């Protein structure tokens, strides 16, 4: 597993970091977003969508659990904050990961247990003083 830590001083920088990462994606990637409420997970997904060339508005899919944004690659965006039983979403996540030319980003993946594959890119957002965030990007499993 290799990892990289960057510091984002503000929201715009987080969008730019995500945008840059999105441009390197090939399709098939799973991106897990880790961090407390308000740490910037959805903001990071906005940057991913922009970097993939999507103009679709990004918001946390609180009630439907999944949103999709069309771009160079389709972005599947899950927010599993309210999910108590991962079995409910298992097939939907699997279908999203099996899709050709798409990437899947998941907020609050904790409830999913073994449902998600080990191979993933983990984005951890750690709030610092003021608007600053430490952003740890780890590539887990064979990439
Ligand atoms: P989460 O999805 O983790 O709950 P959001 O992305 O919805 O978080 O909200 C993050 C909030 O923090 C937004 O209001 C955003 O403007 C603000 N913010 C301030 N500084 C930053 C930063 N450096 N990176 C990301 N978001 C930031
Ligand atoms: Mg969110």
């Amino acid at each position: 597993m290799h990892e990289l830590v960057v510091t984002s001083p503000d929201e715009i920088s987080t969008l730019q970091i995500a945008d840059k990462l999105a441009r390197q994606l090939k399709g098939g990637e799973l991106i897990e977003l880790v961090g407390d409420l308000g740490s910037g997970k959805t903001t990071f997904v906005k940057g991913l969508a922009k970097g993939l060339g999507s103009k679709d508005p990004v918001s946390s899919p609180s009630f439907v659990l999944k949103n999709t944004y069309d771009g160079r690659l389709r972005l599947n965006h899950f927010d599993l904050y309210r999910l108590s039983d991962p079995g409910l979403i298992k097939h939907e996540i699997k279908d999203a990961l099996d899709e050709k030319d798409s990437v899947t980003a998941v907020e609050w993946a904790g409830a999913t247990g073994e449902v998600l594959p080990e191979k993933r890119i983990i984005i951890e957002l750690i709030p610092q003083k003021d608007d600053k965030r430490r952003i740890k990007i780890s590539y887990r499993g064979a990439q």
Side-chain angles (χ1 to χ4, degrees):
M1 177 163 106
H2 59 280
E3 65 177 49
L4 155 90
V5 181
V6 291
T7 300
S8 160
D10 51 30
E11 181 181 4
I12 291 177
S13 304
T14 297
L15 291 168
Q16 286 170 344
I17 291 162
D19 181 307
K20 206 169 147 187
L21 184 129
R23 287 166 197 269
Q24 296 164 12
L25 297 172
K26 296 184 172 69
E29 290 91 345
L30 166 64
I31 301 172
E32 178 187 2
L33 296 129
V34 179
D36 290 340
L37 214 59
S39 60
K41 299 181 295 299
T42 302
T43 302
F44 199 94
V45 176
K46 281 184 188 160
L48 290 176
K50 183 162 176 296
L52 290 173
S54 179
K55 295 196 166 59
D56 297 343
V58 172
S59 65
S60 258
S62 308
F63 297 102
V64 288
L65 296 176
K66 183 179 111 172
N67 280 341
T68 59
Y69 317 114
D70 286 316
R72 174 177 71 82
L73 299 169
R74 165 179 291 176
L75 178 57
N76 296 305
H77 179 197
F78 289 89
D79 185 323
L80 307 182
Y81 188 64
R82 289 174 184 79
L83 183 74
S84 49
D85 177 5
L88 295 173
I89 198 83
K90 195 172 173 172
H91 297 292
E92 211 170 335
I93 291 184
K94 196 178 172 303
D95 287 350
L97 288 167
D98 284 345
E99 259 176 38
K100 205 175 161 288
D101 300 327
S102 83
V103 299
T104 298
V106 186
E107 297 185 48
W108 300 107
T112 57
E114 303 296 301
V115 169
L116 293 182
E118 181 68 12
K119 181 178 166 182
R120 61 183 87 166
I121 303 171
I122 303 170
I123 310 293
E124 190 179 353
L125 294 124
I126 308 144
Q128 313 285 295
K129 212 169 160 288
D130 303 322
D131 282 349
K132 227 171 164 184
R133 306 284 193 271
R134 250 163 65 86
I135 303 179
K136 198 158 110 184
I137 303 171
S138 336
Y139 294 83
R140 183 197 285 175
Q143 294 287 326

